[in-house]
Amino acid sequence: MLDDAGPDPVVQMYHVYKRYGSQDALHDINLIVSKNDFLFIAGPSGAGKTSLLRLIFMGEEVSRGQILINGINLQRVRRTKLPLLRRNIGVVFQDFRLINSYTVYENIALVIEAAGRQRRYIQKKVRQVLRMVGLEDRIYTFPPKLSGGEQQRVALARAAVGDPLILLADEPTGNLDTDCADMVFDLLKQLHLRGSTIIVATHDRRLFEKAQGRIVLLNNGRIEGEIRS
Amino acid sequence: MNLTILSSVFRRALRNISASPYLHMAATGTIAFSILIIGAFAMLYMNINDLIGSWQQNIRVVAYLTDKVPKASIEPLRQNIAGLYGVKRVRFVSKDQAMARLRSQLKHRQSLLDGLSENPLPAAFEIQLIRAWQSWGRIDPLTEQIKAFPEISDVEYGEAWLHRFSAFISFFRLAALIIGGLVFATAVFVCTNTIRLAIYAKRAELEIMRLVGATDFFISTPFYIQNLLEGLLGGLIAIGLLFASYKLFVANVQAPGVFMGPFQGRFLSLPGTGALLAAGMLMGWCGSFLSLKQFLKP
Ligand SMILES: Nc1ncnc2c1ncn2[C@@H]1O[C@H](COP(=O)(O)OP(=O)(O)O)[C@@H](O)[C@H]1O
Ligand SMILES: [Mg+2]
């Protein structure tokens, strides 16, 4: 697998372990993701997909091993520099994680507000990503008033608004009916075409059977193989 | 730091306050109460100190001479005493002068003295001190020095209760410091907990901010602003109450001269008032700092 390293690696994982208590959630993971890859991490529930993504977006630290994001070794990054590094990564969480007391606009704007972008730019950019996911008319709605599919798309818009180098999506179609799932998946493909590197964790065979890209099979915290489709 | 981040930070601070107004009213009230207590102690201490200072300025040390001192050695002795550190001026009062003074003080009852066969009053030196020596700590050693002259029978100054009063003041200062410290700690504790509650209620939101690349500054500053505003408001309320009580006191107690005599009580100075406000804000700041320190731990 290491031989698959493209010319422009954005994620490099070497002998990565993640341990919760006495149990290994991830075991000796070696994975290289190149720029503009569309990568699936496929495996049954409990395989360690979410844990793997969490390590990449720096939600947690590895127990052992090394992770490099865009060439930067996460273990050498000072805590105060983490926010800057995180802005390279957009995440669609499995449970969306929208802020219920913020409007759709505020939820999305938060990302680029935290990055200190200009007000004008923020207004323009938020509308743009909302148009992309087809939720322009929901701009001042609060998330609890949205359907699951709409929340998913808001989450996707938020992940995309900062023009991240890498976009992670955890079970992006998990709770959706087929139509919604197709729409979300199409959006991911669109972002891929625009140059983003996409990593999707899923246990949904349908999703990657009709997709193009690398499929890394994860089971019991170990990578069991890789398919190119 | 830039305009976007500043405005976001302030917006979220105001939002936090309006989202849980009672919590913030409670915190503001606690700070106001604490500052009121601390300010009252400070004012009391300041005015009592003033009062004692005004008494000390009138300290006159009187050294009584034995009856056996020959006239010729009085002037050299006077000069010896005048040469001591801290002494400004020494005036000799003879037995006759002392008697004359007593007679004039007794006025109509001078006849009381007519039966005396001889003058019982001793001759004395009236000793004025330079300003720096007008404090209890320095008078004591000086009077010991004067007492050491064999010609001096006794030295008197002030009154014993004044001396004891100054001991009480030291005690009062200590007590005020301790109580002030406790009150301060209580206010910090309350502020810490209001912010801790706010953080707890928002922990999911704060975690999201962290994950989308918000800095600690971006995340935590609204809480600091919130507590600083509480501190400022609490401080202003306390100072207002303190000032109102002071005015009431002046109108009802001091102005009619009920018991203070010519002494003028005063309100806290401008720096003092500023220090109280700063103390209120410091309480708020400490509250934020302590609660956020835990939350922002990696
Ligand atoms: N925060 C955690 N604490 C303890 N165990 C965890 C935690 N997160 C995940 N696990 C465990 O790690 C394993 C992998 O979980 P996860 O990464 O969520 O799998 P997946 O996303 O593939 O369903 C599971 O056995 C899960 O119980
Ligand atoms: Mg999962």
Side-chain angles (χ1 to χ4, degrees):
Chain A
M1 277 171 300
L2 287 178
D3 305 335
D4 284 347
D8 215 351
V10 287
V11 179
Q12 295 160 271
M13 304 180 91
Y14 300 112
H15 305 293
V16 167
Y17 290 72
K18 182 65 195 177
R19 186 164 263 273
Y20 294 110
S22 60
Q23 183 207 3
D24 270 349
L26 292 171
H27 187 95
D28 196 23
I29 300 292
N30 293 283
L31 177 68
I32 290 179
V33 183
S34 299
K35 197 164 166 37
N36 206 219
D37 269 358
F38 200 125
L39 180 91
F40 288 95
I41 295 170
S45 177
K49 305 181 293 294
T50 300
S51 304
L52 186 64
L53 294 189
R54 221 166 18 224
L55 296 183
I56 296 175
F57 67 70
M58 294 157 258
E60 272 174 13
E61 284 177 21
V62 297
S63 304
R64 256 170 78 188
Q66 311 275 323
I67 299 184
L68 286 76
I69 302 291
N70 213 16
I72 297 169
N73 191 329
L74 295 190
Q75 266 149 318
R76 305 253 171 82
V77 175
R78 274 197 289 146
R79 210 186 100 74
T80 49
K81 295 284 174 211
L82 270 185
L84 280 174
L85 211 52
R86 284 199 179 110
R87 290 174 200 166
N88 289 319
I89 303 174
V91 189
V92 183
F93 297 96
Q94 191 164 0
D95 51 356
F96 313 147
R97 298 221 199 165
L98 300 173
I99 299 172
N100 287 338
S101 58
Y102 284 23
T103 61
V104 166
Y105 178 88
E106 290 167 331
N107 265 285
I108 298 170
L110 178 67
V111 178
I112 40 184
E113 214 170 82
R117 305 304 291 258
Q118 300 264 307
R119 215 170 79 107
R120 280 265 192 79
Y121 174 86
I122 294 173
Q123 287 170 344
K124 203 186 78 191
K125 188 72 186 177
V126 171
R127 279 168 204 285
Q128 185 190 316
V129 289
L130 273 176
R131 201 176 312 128
M132 178 187 79
V133 301
L135 286 175
E136 256 187 310
D137 54 331
R138 301 298 212 168
I139 187 162
Y140 299 124
T141 313
F142 290 91
K145 294 263 162 70
L146 299 173
S147 73
E150 287 170 329
Q151 290 188 32
Q152 178 71 283
R153 277 141 66 199
V154 174
L156 189 60
R158 181 182 65 187
V161 76
D163 293 322
L165 189 68
I166 308 163
L167 198 140
L168 309 181
D170 197 358
E171 310 279 7
T173 59
N175 313 311
L176 307 179
D177 59 52
T178 324
D179 283 353
C180 279
D182 283 349
M183 179 168 183
V184 167
F185 193 58
D186 285 343
L187 285 168
L188 286 173
K189 283 198 285 199
Q190 228 177 328
L191 289 167
H192 179 239
L193 283 176
R194 289 190 205 171
S196 285
T197 306
I198 313 273
I199 303 177
V200 177
T202 185
H203 67 270
D204 184 358
R205 294 201 148 270
R206 285 174 309 164
L207 197 59
F208 55 84
E209 269 165 5
K210 60 186 175 185
Q212 302 238 311
R214 295 170 61 191
I215 302 164
V216 172
L217 300 172
L218 196 66
N219 200 7
N220 261 326
R222 295 160 201 260
I223 292 182
E224 296 198 324
E226 179 170 339
I227 310 166
R228 273 195 181 278
S229 61
Chain B
M1 200 192 321
N2 67 28
L3 215 61
T4 307
I5 290 176
L6 275 185
S7 83
S8 165
V9 153
F10 273 98
R11 197 152 20 87
R12 279 179 289 132
L14 295 180
R15 207 167 174 154
N16 286 355
I17 292 174
S18 62
S20 43
Y22 293 114
L23 198 61
H24 294 287
M25 268 156 60
T28 306
T30 308
I31 291 179
F33 185 69
S34 313
I35 294 293
L36 190 64
I37 290 176
I38 291 172
F41 266 110
M43 256 183 81
L44 206 57
Y45 177 70
M46 186 185 78
N47 279 300
I48 289 176
N49 242 4
D50 280 2
L51 195 60
I52 295 203
S54 75
W55 286 335
Q56 286 187 341
Q57 272 175 27
N58 297 324
I59 294 174
R60 245 187 356 177
V61 178
V62 181
Y64 297 105
L65 281 82
T66 58
D67 280 347
K68 295 173 213 82
V69 184
K71 262 211 167 73
S73 48
I74 285 174
E75 181 52 23
L77 179 60
R78 193 192 70 80
Q79 284 177 7
N80 270 341
I81 292 175
L84 293 173
Y85 275 115
V87 176
K88 187 162 143 195
R89 199 178 312 139
V90 182
R91 205 166 74 91
F92 177 67
V93 180
S94 70
K95 285 171 76 83
D96 293 343
Q97 284 168 325
M99 180 53 86
R101 203 184 277 179
L102 184 60
R103 276 185 188 282
S104 76
Q105 279 168 1
L106 286 175
K107 285 179 189 151
H108 307 300
R109 277 167 285 169
Q110 287 183 12
S111 54
L112 282 173
L113 301 174
D114 290 345
L116 294 171
S117 56
E118 62 175 306
N119 183 352
L121 299 177
F125 289 124
E126 281 179 1
I127 301 164
Q128 252 188 314
L129 306 180
I130 65 172
R131 184 171 267 278
W133 251 258
Q134 288 169 347
S135 74
W136 309 115
R138 293 180 128 171
I139 289 177
D140 275 343
L142 182 62
T143 55
E144 288 308 315
Q145 276 179 293
I146 296 171
K147 261 185 205 162
F149 289 103
E151 296 91 339
I152 302 296
S153 67
D154 200 8
V155 179
E156 249 179 28
Y157 65 90
E159 278 160 78
W161 73 270
L162 271 183
H163 207 158
R164 251 179 274 131
F165 199 73
S166 85
F168 165 74
I169 283 299
S170 316
F171 171 77
F172 179 83
R173 174 164 40 194
L174 187 69
L177 273 178
I178 292 172
I179 292 172
L182 285 178
V183 165
F184 192 95
T186 309
V188 167
F189 179 76
V190 170
C191 287
T192 307
N193 279 305
T194 57
I195 291 298
R196 197 171 284 158
L197 281 175
I199 290 175
Y200 187 77
K202 289 175 177 298
R203 63 197 184 288
E205 180 180 327
L206 301 181
E207 180 64 14
I208 291 167
M209 289 187 190
R210 206 210 305 247
L211 291 177
V212 301
T215 57
D216 284 352
F217 176 88
F218 186 86
I219 295 173
S220 57
T221 307
F223 296 107
Y224 279 105
I225 292 175
Q226 215 170 298
N227 267 8
L228 285 176
L229 282 178
E230 284 165 8
L232 187 66
L233 190 64
L236 285 175
I237 292 173
I239 288 166
L241 287 175
L242 210 56
F243 191 70
S245 333
Y246 165 75
K247 280 291 180 197
L248 227 76
F249 176 83
V250 168
N252 293 310
V253 182
Q254 180 173 301
V258 178
F259 63 80
M260 310 274 284
F263 175 73
Q264 288 288 308
R266 61 189 169 112
F267 192 66
L268 293 166
S269 62
L270 208 59
T273 313
L276 275 191
L277 268 187
M281 293 175 77
L282 186 65
M283 287 173 185
W285 189 88
C286 287
S288 304
F289 179 76
L290 290 176
S291 48
L292 286 162
K293 201 178 63 167
Q294 286 179 335
F295 177 76
L296 293 175
K297 250 189 220 144

